[in-house]
Amino acid sequence: MEYKHVGGMEVSQFALGTWHLPPSDKKYPDGVLYVDVEKSSKIFKKAMDLGINFFDTANTYHGTISETHLHPEKSGNAERILGDFLKGYERESFVVATKVRAEVARFHNGGGLSRKHISWQIRESLSRLQTSYVDLYQIHWQDPYTSPTETMDILNDLVHRGFVHYIGTSNHPPAATSEMLKVAGERGWESFVTMQESYNLINRNFEVEKADIAKKNSMTLLAYMPLAEGILSGKYAGGIREGTRGSYTEGFKESVDKSRNAVEKFLELAKEMDLKPTQLALGWILKMQDKLGINIIPILGATDVSHLEDNVMALDIKIPDHVFKELNALVKIQ
């Protein structure tokens, strides 16, 4: 395993995400699948064995695909499962990132980035994770009703109260991110060390919209959906099967159709290099670190130990310059 610096922390080159954990056969009355906790623990353990010390979650992740965050048994379930596993390890040996913003209750102040909501949700996350602090606290997406000053003030407060070590942003428009960075800088407050965004070979909007902000402010990109929700694995080349992650995502079929030609060429390149497509996709992201001049930590999702083992092998891939050029030409950057 290789390691990068995020703020002053050393984190593994890959993070393990918890948005989609292994599902069990048991279902809630509304049809949402329970998480297979035993299988999830095996994946967490394998991640540790492979040198991954960085785990990403959120206060609303259930762990299997669910359209609602408001069910009391579902909201924050991924934090509970991760917390139960990690309590068996030395706390200082791993890095935990979680998030805040989404609606967790239907009453007023049930969501957002206000001082009131964030103060409430950090307590809830710490309880579920069974820890006294989180290493990285991320604001999940924009709250148009709360001022940047109020949000940055409470985040700075949480750092200095010891509940949070570092802060990050996620899914914020460039202007909103820049405004928050400006507010923090002017007041001498803690500032963002990470930017979590969707980034992969067929979705490179980050390069146009936010890469300059990340580089200028020494922010690490935490790249979620590094395999484009499985599109780059090749498993949707023959269509979208019912029950797969893609079958639950709005607009997914359109993404598959739009990228079909690029993915076909990508799969050919992976075959020529005798690599699994997932390995080439992750290897490309790792190589983009030098091109963009920033650290990039892909967030891996895994529903089986073998997936994790295969993905981590991307660390050993050396992509020739001519192949790297071909990969970069597959999709036109918007």
Side-chain angles (χ1 to χ4, degrees), residues 253-264:
K253 185 179 185 302
E254 181 181 348
S255 297
V256 171
D257 292 340
K258 184 178 179 180
S259 62
R260 190 174 302 281
N261 291 337
V263 171
E264 286 178 357

Side-chain angles (χ1 to χ4, degrees), residues 9 57 79 91 95-99 122 125-126 129 131-138 158-159 162-167:
M9 298 184 293
T57 188
E79 285 185 331
R91 177 62 183 91
V95 173
V96 173
T98 193
K99 309 178 192 75
I122 186 61
S125 287
L126 292 177
L129 288 165
T131 183
S132 60
Y133 67 90
V134 293
D135 298 284
L136 176 65
Y137 203 40
Q138 303 159 95
L158 294 182
V159 171
F163 295 139
V164 171
H165 286 339
Y166 298 93
I167 58 174

Side-chain angles (χ1 to χ4, degrees), residues 20 51 59 63 69 86 95 98 102 136 159 165 182 216 237 243 279-280 305 315 321 332:
H20 192 202
N59 66 328
H69 300 307
L86 291 176
V95 173
T98 193
L136 176 65
V159 171
H165 286 339
K182 180 182 177 182
K216 180 180 178 181
Q279 294 168 344
L280 182 58
V305 167
L315 288 168
D321 289 341
K332 184 177 180 180

Side-chain angles (χ1 to χ4, degrees), residues 210-283:
K210 302 174 182 179
D212 286 345
I213 296 174
K215 185 174 182 179
K216 180 180 178 181
N217 294 278
S218 301
M219 297 169 70
T220 294
L221 169 63
L222 305 183
Y224 72 86
M225 296 185 187
L227 303 178
E229 295 187 274
I231 293 176
L232 291 171
S233 72
K235 69 179 182 180
Y236 296 115
I240 302 172
R241 300 186 308 278
E242 188 64 29
T244 62
R245 176 172 173 170
S247 69
Y248 289 89
T249 307
E250 185 177 350
F252 189 80
K253 185 179 185 302
E254 181 181 348
S255 297
V256 171
D257 292 340
K258 184 178 179 180
S259 62
R260 190 174 302 281
N261 291 337
V263 171
E264 286 178 357
K265 179 59 179 175
F266 167 76
L267 295 175
E268 290 174 8
L269 288 170
K271 186 175 182 179
E272 289 172 10
M273 293 184 68
D274 196 26
L275 293 172
K276 293 189 175 181
T278 53
Q279 294 168 344
L280 182 58
L282 293 169

Side-chain angles (χ1 to χ4, degrees), residues 32-287:
V32 172
L33 292 168
Y34 277 72
V35 174
D36 186 327
V37 176
E38 182 178 355
K39 196 170 182 180
S40 297
S41 294
K42 289 180 180 178
I43 291 173
F44 294 154
K45 176 64 166 56
K46 174 56 69 172
M48 291 284 217
D49 292 344
L50 291 169
I52 293 176
N53 71 343
F54 191 11
F55 296 85
D56 181 75
T57 188
N59 66 328
T60 52
Y61 289 174
H62 169 53
T64 65
I65 298 168
S66 172
E67 294 182 358
T68 177
H69 300 307
L70 302 179
H71 191 287
E73 289 185 68
K74 296 174 189 169
S75 187
N77 187 49
E79 285 185 331
R80 294 186 191 96
I81 294 170
L82 181 61
D84 283 341
F85 173 80
L86 291 176
K87 68 183 180 182
Y89 290 82
E90 164 58 48
R91 177 62 183 91
E92 300 304 330
S93 68
F94 53 84
V95 173
V96 173
T98 193
K99 309 178 192 75
V100 61
R101 164 61 179 97
E103 185 183 23
V104 296
R106 295 200 186 278
F107 49 70
H108 296 293
N109 301 304
L113 295 175
S114 67
R115 172 177 284 274
K116 179 176 177 62
H117 184 74
I118 291 176
S119 296
W120 170 35
Q121 282 304 294
I122 186 61
R123 296 194 303 269
E124 295 293 306
S125 287
L126 292 177
S127 176
R128 288 189 290 261
L129 288 165
Q130 302 179 59
T131 183
S132 60
Y133 67 90
V134 293
D135 298 284
L136 176 65
Y137 203 40
Q138 303 159 95
I139 48 176
H140 213 157
W141 62 85
Q142 189 178 22
D143 174 3
Y145 303 107
T146 302
S147 73
T149 301
E150 179 175 341
T151 299
M152 296 307 290
D153 184 20
I154 180 57
L155 293 176
N156 180 71
D157 190 29
L158 294 182
V159 171
H160 289 277
R161 290 167 63 189
F163 295 139
V164 171
H165 286 339
Y166 298 93
I167 58 174
T169 184
S170 175
N171 300 316
H172 274 63
T177 300
S178 295
E179 179 62 21
M180 288 182 161
L181 289 166
K182 180 182 177 182
V183 166
E186 290 175 345
R187 290 161 175 77
W189 289 345
E190 299 294 329
S191 195
F192 300 128
V193 299
T194 59
M195 180 185 290
Q196 185 167 152
E197 305 290 335
S198 173
Y199 184 60
N200 53 65
L201 187 59
I202 60 175
N203 177 13
R204 298 173 61 184
N205 294 336
F206 167 82
E207 294 177 36
V208 176
E209 300 172 351
K210 302 174 182 179
D212 286 345
I213 296 174
K215 185 174 182 179
K216 180 180 178 181
N217 294 278
S218 301
M219 297 169 70
T220 294
L221 169 63
L222 305 183
Y224 72 86
M225 296 185 187
L227 303 178
E229 295 187 274
I231 293 176
L232 291 171
S233 72
K235 69 179 182 180
Y236 296 115
I240 302 172
R241 300 186 308 278
E242 188 64 29
T244 62
R245 176 172 173 170
S247 69
Y248 289 89
T249 307
E250 185 177 350
F252 189 80
K253 185 179 185 302
E254 181 181 348
S255 297
V256 171
D257 292 340
K258 184 178 179 180
S259 62
R260 190 174 302 281
N261 291 337
V263 171
E264 286 178 357
K265 179 59 179 175
F266 167 76
L267 295 175
E268 290 174 8
L269 288 170
K271 186 175 182 179
E272 289 172 10
M273 293 184 68
D274 196 26
L275 293 172
K276 293 189 175 181
T278 53
Q279 294 168 344
L280 182 58
L282 293 169
W284 173 83
I285 289 182
L286 298 183
K287 194 171 177 66

